[in-house]
Amino acid sequence: MTVQDPTLTAVETPEADAYRAALEVIAAAEPTVADHIRGELDNQRSQLKLIASENYASPAVLLAMGNWFSDKYAEGTPGHRFYAGCEFVDKVETLAADHAKALFGADYAYVQPHSGIDANLVAFWSVLAQRVEAPFLTGHDAKHVNDLTEAEWEELRQSFGNQRMIGMSLDAGGHLTHGFRPNISGKLFDQRSYGVDRDTEMVDYDAVAALAREFKPLILVAGYSAHPRKINFATMREIADEVGATLMVDMAHFAGLVAGKVFTGDFDPLPNAHIVTSTTHKSLRGPRGGIVLSNQPELTEFIDKGCPMVLGGPLSHVMAAKAVAFAEARQPSFADYAQRVVDNAAALAEGIAKRGGRIVTGGTDNHLVLVDVRSFGLTGRQAETALESSGVIVNRNSIPFDPNGAWYTSGIRLGTPALTTIGMDTADMDDVAEILCSVLQNATPTTTGAGAPSLAKFDLSDEVCNTARTRSAALLAANPLYPQIGAL
Ligand code: DSN
């Protein structure tokens, strides 16, 4: 376990008092858990966090989750629950939804999903309910699925499984939940995927349109977890409208850039998509969870049935934390933060490119940077491990047309939301690029026992690792994580 930085001092703030007291109470029940909570903070404080999907939530967001809302069952929706005693759950869920609506300019917000996959499942099943189930019920003069005969129900069940979806391919930066076979979405939908152009590595909208015309999907999904560029959602909507598809945007990665008005107009999902899903813990900087938004009244009654359709009891304590996070994101300082995230990503890409790294698409206009680490003679697996041993936390990632497959990969994915939260700026990003490239330039692949080039093993000197750690420590000392909590 990492040990607490001995130069950290205790501070007298409400946040420090709250966490000291909380750890004391937890330690009285199970001291090892309190130790592990401290250990996680020490770890996070000692590493350069460049995972594109992570961030540091505020103490207010974190504290809003640690309370007795966790004890309450509240299946249903505000004012329409399957349990009594939901007065304050109703209030907190309504507050979270109201903040989300105001933040994103949405007419409707569903704040119950526990995660991104849950949000996507709610969205998929809402569209299936609206476009497959509801017309079937009307056609059979039934109000409810329980009114159908066994034969009718079987026919409806079969037709759920016969629907089509188009999403972005995984190696181009799409997400497993967008219809890929290892995920439930790929088992449910007949899926085809669009990739990126081989030369530019950008989305080719003409190719997406041609695929949509040929395949005629029920749902067209736009959104990504590893594509470093904006998507034109107005163009995606034109394609969806032409083929009668519902446009779903999964903005999990870039929700903070939408909330912070960095992505506007054609690049803002809300005015363009029928249904929008997101996580709340990435660039949006909230608690771990999901949301579904829509401006289409014909869809909202179905989204509202996320529970019991897909979800069980909502995590009321997390909805409370979502309300806090959305309130924070409505402050003008969040727009400033979102712009700095994007500026920092551009500076990081430039810093790596000038030190010899190939940047997929040649740059970035969002929060993430995809580096083709073959330019350093490495696989993604080698790069990820070499950086971790030097205190730089990234994840390996496929790049478009990746020859090394999804396990070893040829890329690493970097993101700036977390380091921007602790105050790093574009000059710091050049230092981060220097630290990162010094490790990648000095890691040397080795061979397997059979003498073939290894895709996983490498040599890296302790001196290089230690120098990287010392430089990172200096950057982190100047931009401390949770200074208001201090030493615990
Ligand atoms: N695991 C998330 C990411 O890292 O992008 C997406 O599910």
Side-chain angles (χ1 to χ4, degrees):
M1 188 202 292
T2 314
V3 288
Q4 183 165 269
D5 178 354
T7 65
L8 264 183
T9 52
V11 293
E12 296 302 323
T13 63
E15 291 90 342
D17 288 346
Y19 280 102
R20 273 194 290 268
L23 287 169
E24 195 180 314
V25 174
I26 293 166
E30 170 47 291
T32 313
V33 170
D35 285 348
H36 291 338
I37 293 172
R38 282 195 194 88
E40 178 61 27
L41 178 59
D42 296 341
N43 246 344
Q44 296 202 21
R45 280 174 161 166
S46 66
Q47 296 167 335
L48 281 180
K49 187 199 268 209
L50 284 163
I51 304 275
S53 48
E54 294 184 5
N55 211 328
Y56 302 113
S58 71
V61 167
L62 299 178
L63 285 165
M65 280 185 280
N67 58 67
W68 30 91
F69 268 130
S70 173
D71 298 332
K72 189 73 194 94
Y73 253 118
E75 282 162 288
T77 49
H80 191 261
R81 306 281 187 190
F82 292 87
Y83 291 82
C86 293
E87 179 185 355
F88 287 96
V89 179
D90 281 2
K91 288 181 201 278
V92 89
E93 180 171 348
T94 303
L95 181 65
D98 286 347
H99 277 311
K101 287 189 274 184
L103 180 62
F104 291 108
D107 294 337
Y108 169 85
Y110 185 64
V111 297
Q112 293 192 17
H114 309 160
S115 65
I117 182 173
D118 284 357
N120 287 349
L121 283 174
V122 169
F124 296 148
W125 279 102
S126 301
V127 176
L128 288 169
Q130 181 218 356
R131 296 193 54 192
V132 178
E133 183 175 295
F136 187 93
L137 291 179
T138 305
H140 290 78
D141 207 19
K143 283 198 162 29
H144 193 276
V145 285
N146 290 344
D147 300 334
L148 298 173
T149 65
E150 286 297 324
E152 288 165 346
W153 173 236
E154 186 55 22
E155 187 185 340
L156 176 57
R157 265 182 9 88
Q158 296 288 337
S159 60
F160 286 138
N162 285 334
Q163 304 304 321
R164 295 175 167 186
M165 168 202 288
I166 290 181
M168 191 178 205
S169 69
L170 283 178
D171 77 338
H175 194 259
L176 264 181
T177 58
H178 298 174
F180 293 93
R181 291 179 186 179
N183 179 256
I184 180 87
S185 57
K187 301 181 201 304
L188 174 63
F189 286 97
D190 182 9
Q191 194 260 25
R192 296 287 180 279
S193 52
Y194 55 90
V196 290
D197 179 81
R198 195 174 271 276
D199 295 325
T200 63
E201 299 174 313
M202 302 281 201
V203 172
D204 176 347
Y205 295 99
D206 290 338
V208 179
L211 177 64
R213 280 182 207 120
E214 183 201 328
F215 192 58
K216 298 203 174 9
L218 182 79
I219 302 177
L220 172 61
V221 182
Y224 50 76
S225 59
H227 180 65
R229 296 293 180 175
K230 295 192 278 200
I231 300 287
N232 189 319
F233 300 119
T235 303
M236 285 295 202
R237 176 60 182 264
E238 281 170 24
I239 296 169
D241 284 348
E242 186 191 325
V243 301
T246 298
L247 177 62
M248 171 181 148
V249 173
D250 178 346
M251 64 170 182
H253 259 263
F254 49 88
L257 308 185
V258 178
K261 309 288 179 265
V262 176
F263 287 0
T264 56
D266 291 354
F267 303 98
D268 181 347
L270 265 305
N272 295 299
H274 295 95
I275 189 163
V276 177
T277 62
S278 186
T279 52
T280 47
H281 49 273
K282 298 187 174 90
S283 54
L284 193 50
R285 210 164 61 184
R288 189 161 290 278
I291 46 169
V292 182
L293 307 166
S294 183
N295 285 327
Q296 304 287 316
E298 67 272 20
L299 260 172
T300 56
E301 65 169 296
F302 300 105
I303 303 170
D304 242 11
K305 298 195 177 96
C307 166
M309 186 166 52
V310 171
L311 306 171
L315 309 179
S316 305
H317 55 307
V318 181
M319 294 196 294
K322 287 173 184 170
V324 175
F326 298 154
E328 289 178 348
R330 293 182 66 190
Q331 298 302 312
S333 59
F334 193 85
D336 174 58
Y337 163 72
Q339 185 59 51
R340 286 187 294 110
V341 166
V342 171
D343 293 345
N344 279 346
L348 183 61
E350 193 186 325
I352 294 168
K354 79 183 181 196
R355 292 173 175 88
R358 189 182 86 79
I359 306 298
V360 172
T361 77
T364 174
D365 40 38
N366 56 24
H367 63 297
L368 71 85
V369 178
L370 200 56
V371 185
D372 178 351
V373 290
R374 291 175 303 172
S375 46
F376 295 100
L378 301 170
T379 63
R381 175 92 192 272
Q382 288 162 330
E384 178 191 274
T385 316
L387 288 166
E388 185 179 26
S389 62
S390 308
V392 182
I393 305 301
V394 308
N395 68 281
R396 65 185 184 281
N397 213 100
S398 295
I399 62 171
F401 312 102
D402 200 315
N404 282 326
W407 178 251
Y408 292 108
T409 83
S410 301
I412 52 171
R413 185 188 67 165
L414 315 173
T416 51
L419 294 187
T420 305
T421 290
I422 58 174
M424 291 198 194
D425 59 17
T426 52
D428 296 321
M429 288 303 116
D430 195 55
D431 290 343
V432 172
E434 171 61 26
I435 294 167
L436 187 136
C437 291
S438 70
V439 174
L440 299 183
Q441 285 157 351
N442 286 291
T444 320
T446 55
T447 49
T448 62
S454 173
L455 296 176
K457 295 185 186 149
F458 58 92
D459 282 334
L460 182 65
S461 73
D462 287 348
E463 189 190 342
V464 171
C465 290
N466 292 338
T467 304
R469 282 187 183 277
T470 306
R471 286 177 172 172
S472 299
L475 269 178
L476 291 166
N479 301 277
L481 173 60
Y482 297 129
Q484 68 276 58
I485 295 173
L488 284 176

